[in-house]
Amino acid sequence: MIISMALHASKEQTERVCERIQELGYKVHSIQGEERVVIGAVGVGDVTGCLEQLEAMPGVESAVRISAPYKFVSKEFRAARTRVRVNGTEIGGDEFVVIAGPCSVESESQIMETAEAVVRAGGRLLRGGAFKPRTSPYDFQGMEEEGLKLLRKAKQATGLAIVTEVMSEGDVDLISEYADILQIGARNMQNFSLLKALGRTTRPILLKRGMSSTLRELLMSAEYIVAHGNPNVVLCERGIRTFETATRNTCDLTAVAVLNELTHLPVIVDPSHSAGRRRLVPPLSRAAVAIGADGLLVEVHPCPEKAYSDGAQSLSIPGFEGMMQELKPYIKLWTESRVAEGAAAV
Ligand code: PEP
Ligand code: MN
């Protein structure tokens, strides 16, 4: 924090501000200037509250934050990439990780057929919603625990780890029994009591960016989870709301590059919800590999035209296989650059 005193603030006023900084649990790092005094303060805590109090003190002209409000998830806190380990796979490591599966779990044959196709094509984790956050209360809400049981069956058959969504705090324990990664949907990115509960679990978290959230807000939500005890968070760009109507959302690929500068957490891209249309998924996926994402979250369905949710953006099984094939040369380049980055860091 930088606290600038007013031009003719008294020595006593400056002293009182320094005392207050210390009372609030921060350290006075430096005091500069003769006529106009500028105080630098450092520490961790409720910086916003502290700034408001200091700004209200006599003799203070302004009090501003100079560092990012998130700490644990920042690159400054930890330069090396966080590798989230799940079932023998590392997200954020030297492998580009593809997570694929249907939007919703609908039946045993649907999830089994998809899981077999995903593993055959080189996907590492199986996604599938059992608890669905639908905009309309009349839309399919998910198979709930029945769906979780089917995901478990698919895991037993294929060895694929499971990613599935948790919508409320009360479901965290139940879903953790079945899932290897807990997905937090865009609509829940700022459900702070849920984020705190996720901090207390041992399961890795896949945190999707809210559709109207800034990257700072996304990082603050990740900070909630990490600050409450769970360091295994993967961020997911899934498209944001803009004025554009040609796509369901606007895929903010720049977010990947920005997040890679700001945080050590892995970042993946969901091209399906970003685009809303299946033919846009392969080109967006290629771009996600090229910009340095750590993986993809893709919707795949054995019969998209009959899907209970998000059929228009779901790849068919041959479509997914074709895309995985097409991505190979891009992933080869990605792997070479990741390995070179690792070697340069040693
Ligand atoms: C989903 O992954 O199916 C989903 C509901 O995503 P989002 O929260 O990004 O809308
Ligand atoms: Mn979906």
Side-chain angles (χ1 to χ4, degrees):
M1 289 177 286
I2 296 282
I3 297 93
S4 301
M5 300 301 292
L7 195 53
H8 298 296
S10 68
K11 200 160 164 282
E12 289 68 36
Q13 285 174 332
T14 301
E15 280 168 10
R16 187 63 207 111
V17 169
C18 289
E19 278 166 25
R20 187 70 191 127
I21 288 170
Q22 281 156 16
E23 282 164 18
L24 288 164
Y26 296 82
K27 261 177 67 181
V28 174
H29 189 258
S30 61
I31 306 179
Q32 288 161 12
E34 289 285 313
E35 268 185 26
R36 184 188 287 280
V37 175
V38 176
I39 306 165
V42 290
V44 178
D46 175 7
V47 176
T48 308
C50 181
L51 290 171
E52 280 169 7
Q53 287 195 18
L54 293 172
E55 207 157 37
M57 290 183 73
V60 172
E61 190 170 279
S62 69
V64 293
R65 182 196 299 273
I66 49 165
S67 66
Y70 44 83
K71 300 271 176 255
F72 296 126
V73 304
S74 76
K75 265 260 162 76
E76 287 150 37
F77 180 76
R78 186 191 141 102
R81 291 180 189 277
T82 287
R83 294 168 176 239
V84 174
R85 290 186 182 82
V86 46
N87 202 29
T89 300
E90 269 186 353
I91 309 176
D94 297 336
E95 185 188 2
F96 187 83
V97 178
V98 177
I99 307 170
C103 179
S104 307
V105 180
E106 298 168 5
S107 68
E108 179 164 346
S109 61
Q110 174 241 22
I111 197 68
M112 287 306 214
E113 199 182 326
T114 313
E116 274 151 21
V118 167
V119 76
R120 239 186 0 251
R124 285 278 180 260
L125 293 96
L126 178 68
R127 65 146 290 153
F131 291 80
K132 293 303 300 177
R134 305 306 301 281
T135 303
S136 164
Y138 308 114
D139 289 347
F140 177 60
Q141 304 286 307
M143 291 181 77
E144 304 191 339
E145 193 167 359
E146 227 23 64
L148 297 175
K149 289 184 179 154
L150 295 179
L151 285 168
R152 174 179 281 167
K153 250 188 163 167
K155 178 179 177 177
Q156 283 161 353
T158 59
L160 289 171
I162 301 301
V163 180
T164 196
E165 180 160 352
V166 180
M167 292 204 298
S168 76
E169 216 183 315
D171 294 334
V172 173
D173 290 342
L174 171 74
I175 298 178
S176 299
E177 282 176 36
Y178 295 89
D180 297 281
I181 299 190
L182 304 178
Q183 176 177 323
I184 303 309
R187 292 156 191 82
N188 263 321
M189 189 203 85
Q190 286 189 315
N191 179 341
F192 299 113
S193 52
L194 176 58
L195 298 177
K196 287 182 195 172
L198 298 170
R200 298 188 288 268
T201 66
T202 53
R203 289 272 179 261
I205 308 300
L206 173 58
L207 180 64
K208 298 188 95 177
R209 179 183 183 181
M211 56 193 87
S212 305
S213 300
T214 63
L215 295 178
R216 177 181 278 226
E217 286 163 345
L218 172 62
L219 289 168
M220 289 306 287
S221 292
E223 183 83 6
Y224 257 91
I225 302 170
V226 179
H228 282 85
N230 186 352
N232 294 311
V233 180
V234 177
L235 304 174
C236 180
E237 166 60 41
R238 49 77 73 205
I240 51 172
R241 283 239 166 119
T242 68
F243 50 80
E244 184 52 72
T245 53
T247 48
R248 181 175 179 184
N249 291 290
T250 296
C251 187
D252 181 12
L253 279 172
T254 314
V256 179
V258 174
L259 289 169
N260 277 336
E261 278 182 3
L262 298 177
T263 181
H264 51 83
L265 296 176
V267 183
I268 68 169
V269 172
D270 171 348
S272 310
H273 292 85
S274 294
R277 273 180 300 139
R278 104 174 42 94
R279 69 184 164 75
L280 298 175
V281 170
L284 279 177
S285 297
R286 291 198 293 273
V289 180
I291 205 162
D294 294 288
L296 293 171
L297 179 73
V298 189
E299 287 187 339
V300 182
H301 194 286
C303 189
E305 59 277 24
K306 291 197 179 150
Y308 293 177
S309 57
D310 288 350
Q313 67 194 31
S314 299
L315 293 172
S316 64
I317 288 174
F320 178 64
E321 288 166 347
M323 181 180 91
M324 290 297 277
Q325 211 45 41
E326 220 179 83
L327 283 178
K328 278 191 177 155
Y330 295 82
I331 293 178
K332 185 169 178 284
L333 284 174
W334 182 99
T335 309
E336 283 166 15
S337 80
R338 201 45 86 88
V339 169
E341 178 194 294
V346 177

